[in-house]
């Protein structure tokens, strides 16, 4: 299997002293669907920031398509070409005042022709179900709508690897269904996808593999069925059991 990314022995502390990642080693193969799970504050978003090179640990190695890098500007430039990242909070991702311009922003930076920018922006606004918002000002949108704008902007650049940080949070039923269809389409196109989520049902149904963070460590890295078939492990890792696997006593309290 083709390996796309690998981290070896990565630790990271924020300047405030918060130790967010502790000796994390992992690898990602082309075309994989990985669910990143773990309690609030366990280090999921920090891991995404490290994988995208936005935060740079002092120690550890990054392998991109088999090539070893120390954390440096060159690595970040290489990662920009390979990885698209949809932040947990769209407020930190949107850069323009208007929806169409925001989705077009990355494409213009890629120096595509005006026709190509127009075509792809339109295409991805449609795919993400927000074409009707194209002329709106960003500040007039709801939080969920802003999340879709950020998603459209990242997908439009057609990156090989896509990291989505809690993409379903704040989406309504119809947009969640649309996103699930989109994730399946992206898989068919051969994209590598890592999605952070607190939704065990989604992780179980969609992902092949689960990474579970606990206190900054990658506590488990295993096929999703091995995780969700092991009630003790699920409990120990502080993630929600599947509803269908909850004990009758738990169900009867609902
Ligand atoms: N900008 C920051 N400055 C200082 N500490 C931070 C910062 N961002 C995160 N942390 C800390 O790093 C640790 C990991 O946080 P992170 O946001 O990666 O967790 P998470 O698993 O994504 O949580 P959530 O499920 O709430 O999104 C926490 O202790 C958090 O307080
Ligand atoms: Mg987070």
């Amino acid at each position: 299997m083709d390996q796309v990314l690998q981290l070896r022995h990565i630790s990271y502390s924020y300047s405030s002293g918060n130790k967010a990642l502790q000796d994390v080693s992992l690898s990602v193969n082309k075309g994989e669907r990985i669910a990143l799970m773990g309690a609030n504050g366990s280090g999921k978003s920090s891991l995404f920031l490290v994988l995208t090179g936005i935060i740079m640990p002092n120690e550890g190695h990054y392998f991109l398509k088999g090539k070893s890098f120390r954390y440096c500007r060159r690595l970040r430039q290489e990662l920009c070409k390979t990885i698209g990242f949809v932040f947990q909070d769209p407020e930190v991702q949107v850069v323009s005042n208007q929806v169409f311009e925001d989705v077009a922003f990355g494409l213009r930076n890629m120096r595509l022709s005006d026709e190509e920018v127009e075509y792809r922006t339109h295409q991805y606004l449609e795919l993400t179900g927000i074409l009707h918002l194209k002329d709106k000002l960003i500040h007039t949108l709801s939080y969920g709508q802003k999340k879709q704008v950020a998603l459209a902007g990242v997908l439009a650049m057609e990156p090989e690897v896509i990291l989505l940080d809690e993409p379903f949070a704040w989406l309504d039923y119809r947009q969640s269904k649309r996103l699930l269809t989109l994730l399946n389409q992206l898989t068919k196109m051969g994209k590598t996808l890592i999605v952070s989520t607190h939704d065990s049902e989604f992780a179980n149904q969609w992902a092949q593999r689960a990474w579970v963070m606990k206190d900054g460590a990658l506590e488990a890295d295993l096929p999703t069925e091995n995780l969700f078939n092991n009630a003790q492990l699920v409990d120990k890792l502080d993630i929600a059991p599947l509803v269908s696997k909850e004990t009758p006593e738990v169900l009867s309290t609902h």
Side-chain angles (χ1 to χ4, degrees):
M1 237 182 291
D2 288 349
Q3 192 181 81
V4 195
L5 308 175
Q6 190 185 9
L7 296 185
R8 275 210 208 141
H9 304 299
I10 297 287
S11 297
Y12 183 76
S13 298
Y14 287 96
S15 49
S16 58
N18 276 348
K19 211 163 173 34
L21 296 174
Q22 306 203 43
D23 197 20
V24 173
S25 296
L26 53 80
S27 66
V28 181
N29 295 320
K30 186 172 162 47
E32 273 199 295
R33 299 186 304 276
I34 299 173
L36 173 57
M37 306 193 76
N40 292 137
S42 58
K44 301 180 296 299
S45 295
S46 303
L47 178 59
F48 275 151
L49 293 173
V50 161
L51 279 169
T52 49
I54 294 170
I55 56 179
M56 297 218 178
N58 301 321
E59 322 155 32
H61 270 275
Y62 200 121
F63 291 79
L64 179 60
K65 296 179 186 169
K67 210 166 141 190
S68 168
F69 287 88
R70 280 212 159 272
Y71 268 91
C72 62
R73 265 173 77 115
R74 209 173 119 245
L75 171 62
R76 189 179 283 164
Q77 285 161 359
E78 292 294 320
L79 292 176
C80 275
K81 291 186 225 151
T82 311
I83 301 182
F85 177 41
V86 184
F87 283 74
Q88 182 166 353
D89 179 1
E91 303 284 357
V92 298
Q93 188 144 33
V94 289
V95 286
S96 306
N97 291 330
Q98 188 238 15
V99 171
F100 189 94
E101 276 313 307
D102 193 76
V103 176
F105 179 83
L107 300 175
R108 294 199 202 286
N109 275 348
M110 289 165 72
R111 303 193 188 289
L112 300 182
S113 69
D114 287 348
E115 294 80 54
E116 183 71 8
V117 171
E118 183 86 15
Y119 177 79
R120 277 217 226 169
T121 304
H122 197 278
Q123 180 188 6
Y124 282 91
L125 283 168
E126 192 158 35
L127 263 176
T128 49
I130 52 168
L131 188 56
H132 61 292
L133 300 176
K134 73 180 173 46
D135 299 320
K136 295 264 187 210
L137 292 173
I138 300 272
H139 78 268
T140 65
L141 302 183
S142 73
Y143 196 79
Q145 288 171 328
K146 285 182 197 164
K147 279 196 84 113
Q148 294 300 78
V149 174
L151 174 69
V154 170
L155 296 187
M157 291 189 281
E158 302 187 342
E160 203 178 317
V161 179
I162 305 164
L163 313 183
L164 300 122
D165 200 351
E166 301 198 26
F168 292 96
W170 299 86
L171 297 194
D172 64 25
Y173 173 69
R174 189 143 54 101
Q175 284 296 58
S176 298
K177 262 182 79 173
R178 188 187 289 272
L179 179 57
L180 196 53
T181 306
L182 197 50
L183 293 180
N184 291 333
Q185 282 172 343
L186 292 166
T187 296
K188 283 198 188 117
M189 288 160 70
K191 305 283 182 192
T192 306
L193 298 168
I194 310 173
V195 176
S196 84
T197 182
H198 294 287
D199 183 342
S200 296
E201 311 294 325
F202 161 74
N204 183 48
Q205 282 164 29
W206 174 80
Q208 297 158 310
R209 192 142 71 102
W211 289 343
V212 189
M213 303 292 298
K214 194 167 182 181
D215 301 329
L218 181 61
E219 197 75 8
D221 176 357
L222 74 181
T224 38
E225 72 238 41
N226 295 2
L227 172 64
F228 291 108
N229 284 335
N230 186 338
Q232 266 182 334
L233 183 62
V234 165
D235 187 55
K236 184 177 147 232
L237 294 171
D238 295 328
I239 56 178
L242 297 178
V243 172
S244 56
K245 291 192 185 295
E246 279 183 323
T247 59
E249 297 90 279
V250 174
L251 286 174
S252 68
T253 63
H254 290 310

